[in-house]
Amino acid sequence: MKKIKCLGLVWLLASGLTGFAKDYPVSSAKELSALSLKPGDRVLMKAGEWKDQQLKFKGNGVKGRPIVLMAANAGKTVLNGNSTLDIDGSWLVVDGLSFANGRLDSGEVVNFSEKSFSCRLTNTSVIDYNSSDDKVDYTWVSLRGTHNRVDHCLLKGKNHQGVTMVVWLSEKPNYHQIDHNYFGPRPELGRNGGETIRIGTSTWSFHDSFTLVEENIFEHCDGEIEAVSVKSGRNIVRNNLFYECKATLTLRHGNHSEVIGNYFIGNGKPGTGGVRIIGEDHNVRDNYFQDLTGTGNSAAISVMAGLPNPILVSHWQVKNARITDNLILNCKEPFAIAAGYRKDRYLPALNTYFAKNIILSNVSPLKVYDEKVVVNFEDNLIFSTAFSGEKGRGFELRNEQLKKGSSGLFLRPGQADFKPFWESEQIGPGWFLDINKKFTIN
């Protein structure tokens, strides 16, 4: 019996489940690197300015007992200068840090290493971490490894070259999760390379990522035409708010991704766009588009023309796109067919299915850039004074009015009033004020 009890104690000690966790107060990156951390341990970063600190957070927690690196007072540990953070291990949590007004020459401000697994960055901000030269290229958050999460963070004010947040691919899927974050204003860069989120790269675009982007707010993310650029397969972008973004959610490379239940609110701001579709077997459904002014590539929903004999960086032909149950309201160009068509980019979308969508428009709901493209229209409702040419071919005209809910959003016929996620969920760090403001919908 004693032997059995001893063996049980050995197992508990080995598994890190004994509860003998420790708190380690630190005041520098050097002190952090000297620690030998075990499951359940917490590292408490002293409040104040941390300048030019390269934090290396290493260790292996276990499920239910992660190792935590946290600000002793959330939001009061401020990293600047050329400070960076590298997350390298498993079941590691970073909580409550503030990166502000620093700058790098290359690399990334926060990096999840290639070996990272089930790690988390939460309740953290990166604000105005900019080089004085806007052509200097570095990323604010890089997600490598697998099953990592970035949530309840705030990133705003990036004005230099490079994507704000990148999911980097490898031979195996990532299964990352990006949720409940606030991505604040990013001014126009004037060239390619100003995305807010990019999932993958052109060279890895035929690999699957399985990344979930959910319940984030993108406000005035105007860096370039793609606010979110999907360049890999089997991702889900679900229930996010794109507020007055002079950009689009672009399925740029890769196949089998889903765009579900997102809100695109333009309020008439010039160049505001919706969803751009390139590639195969994408599903775009239950999204809400209102007062967007973009056309062609930046239409509310844009199905692109494809290039013949494409290479990895090309615009691949659209095949088997399913566009269903979307609500498109007062947009300048509700549905663009064969957008980007030209002499060298002419492959028509194949087997496009456009069904059960509701369009409210005082302009023609369809813009066809290539008459050769055949779209399967079915059971769509049109509330329009300018609709012509498609009646009886998958469209039904309605004279009734759509009602607005308490949030200012229009409701589908028969839909009950509801609160959108940004009125009911915590978005961004809990210590950062005024993110969950009421977004005005004209």
Side-chain angles (χ1 to χ4, degrees):
M1 181 64 71
K2 289 183 178 180
K3 185 176 182 181
I4 293 174
K5 288 182 178 179
C6 289
L7 287 173
L9 179 60
V10 169
W11 180 85
L12 285 170
L13 289 168
S15 62
L17 299 176
T18 59
F20 298 126
K22 294 182 179 180
D23 284 353
Y24 295 94
V26 296
S27 57
S28 68
K30 184 178 180 180
E31 291 180 8
L32 171 63
S33 64
L35 298 176
S36 179
L37 298 168
K38 295 180 173 56
D41 286 347
R42 298 191 311 170
V43 182
L44 306 178
M45 296 175 63
K46 181 181 177 181
E49 181 184 42
W50 289 52
K51 187 174 182 180
D52 301 332
Q53 298 291 305
Q54 280 69 56
L55 301 172
K56 305 292 184 182
F57 183 30
K58 300 173 70 79
N60 292 290
V62 296
K63 187 176 182 179
R65 288 177 62 80
I67 301 170
V68 180
L69 174 67
M70 62 186 296
N73 189 347
K76 301 299 184 182
T77 299
V78 182
L79 296 110
N80 55 29
N82 64 5
S83 294
T84 59
L85 168 65
D86 191 62
I87 302 169
D88 185 15
S90 58
W91 300 103
L92 303 176
V93 175
V94 176
D95 186 354
L97 306 190
S98 172
F99 291 84
N101 302 306
R103 57 160 295 174
L104 303 181
D105 294 323
S106 61
E108 43 262 318
V109 181
V110 178
N111 176 55
F112 290 76
S113 77
E114 293 181 0
K115 295 180 180 179
S116 62
F117 170 76
S118 290
C119 295
R120 182 182 179 191
L121 176 70
T122 188
N123 203 34
T124 291
S125 67
V126 186
I127 300 174
D128 298 332
Y129 224 77
N130 294 312
S131 172
S132 57
D133 180 356
D134 70 5
K135 293 183 175 61
V136 174
D137 189 339
Y138 57 92
T139 301
W140 281 11
V141 178
S142 279
L143 276 160
R144 297 179 170 88
T146 63
H147 296 86
N148 296 317
R149 183 184 180 193
V150 179
D151 67 284
H152 297 92
C153 292
L154 179 147
L155 298 93
K156 71 172 185 176
K158 191 173 195 291
N159 64 15
H160 63 89
Q161 187 78 26
V163 185
T164 305
M165 180 181 293
V166 181
V167 172
W168 300 96
L169 268 64
S170 62
E171 292 292 343
K172 57 184 179 180
N174 307 112
Y175 297 102
H176 294 319
Q177 184 172 337
I178 303 167
D179 65 284
H180 295 88
N181 303 290
Y182 173 80
F183 296 92
R186 178 165 189 182
E188 290 183 64
L189 187 62
R191 55 187 178 274
N192 194 30
E195 303 98 321
T196 296
I197 292 180
R198 192 186 71 216
I199 306 172
T201 60
S202 300
T203 52
W204 286 86
S205 57
F206 282 99
H207 289 72
D208 292 333
S209 178
F210 289 96
T211 289
L212 172 64
V213 180
E214 181 176 42
E215 296 192 345
N216 303 281
I217 294 173
F218 300 84
E219 182 175 14
H220 297 167
C221 294
D222 303 339
E224 61 150 80
I225 190 174
E226 300 173 12
V228 174
S229 181
V230 178
K231 294 187 174 182
S232 53
R234 300 189 186 279
N235 301 289
I236 297 175
V237 184
R238 180 173 66 198
N239 201 28
N240 302 278
L241 170 63
F242 294 82
Y243 186 78
E244 296 183 358
C245 291
K246 190 177 180 181
T248 63
L249 191 173
T250 299
L251 302 174
R252 182 63 182 87
H253 291 304
N255 306 317
H256 302 284
S257 284
E258 296 185 274
V259 177
I260 308 169
N262 300 281
Y263 299 85
F264 299 82
I265 308 297
N267 284 334
K269 177 182 172 181
T272 46
V275 176
R276 186 162 63 127
I277 302 171
I278 305 164
E280 301 182 16
D281 299 299
H282 296 307
N283 189 355
V284 177
R285 62 178 172 87
D286 295 305
N287 300 286
Y288 183 104
F289 307 86
Q290 184 175 343
D291 298 318
L292 303 173
T293 61
T295 61
N297 294 347
S298 297
I301 299 177
S302 176
V303 173
M304 293 285 291
L307 279 166
N309 304 312
I311 58 177
L312 285 174
V313 299
S314 298
H315 290 80
W316 286 66
Q317 188 175 22
V318 176
K319 298 179 181 178
N320 309 318
R322 294 182 62 84
I323 305 164
T324 61
D325 298 289
N326 300 285
L327 189 57
I328 309 172
L329 307 159
N330 300 317
C331 294
K332 187 172 183 179
E333 201 166 281
F335 183 32
I337 302 168
Y341 174 84
R342 61 191 190 203
K343 287 184 178 180
D344 65 334
R345 188 162 62 204
Y346 58 82
L347 289 181
L350 301 178
N351 195 29
T352 301
Y353 183 65
F354 189 87
K356 299 180 180 178
N357 301 286
I358 298 174
I359 301 176
L360 172 64
S361 178
N362 291 323
V363 299
S364 178
L366 307 180
K367 175 67 174 180
V368 181
Y369 290 87
D370 178 11
E371 297 292 342
K372 298 190 299 296
V373 179
V374 176
V375 176
N376 301 314
F377 296 106
E378 185 177 318
D379 297 331
N380 299 286
L381 298 181
I382 304 294
F383 298 76
S384 175
T385 60
F387 185 66
S388 63
E390 300 293 342
K391 186 177 180 180
R393 196 162 71 87
F395 293 89
E396 178 185 343
L397 289 174
R398 290 284 183 92
N399 294 320
E400 63 190 274
Q401 298 292 316
L402 293 176
K403 296 180 180 180
K404 280 189 176 182
S406 57
S407 65
L409 296 168
F410 281 94
L411 303 173
R412 292 171 169 82
Q415 183 181 14
D417 196 9
F418 70 99
K419 283 188 176 182
F421 76 90
W422 60 89
E423 292 187 2
S424 59
E425 302 282 337
Q426 172 65 45
I427 307 300
W431 51 267
F432 201 99
L433 302 178
D434 199 32
I435 294 177
N436 282 63
K437 61 185 178 181
K438 187 172 179 63
F439 288 88
T440 302
I441 301 171
N442 294 340

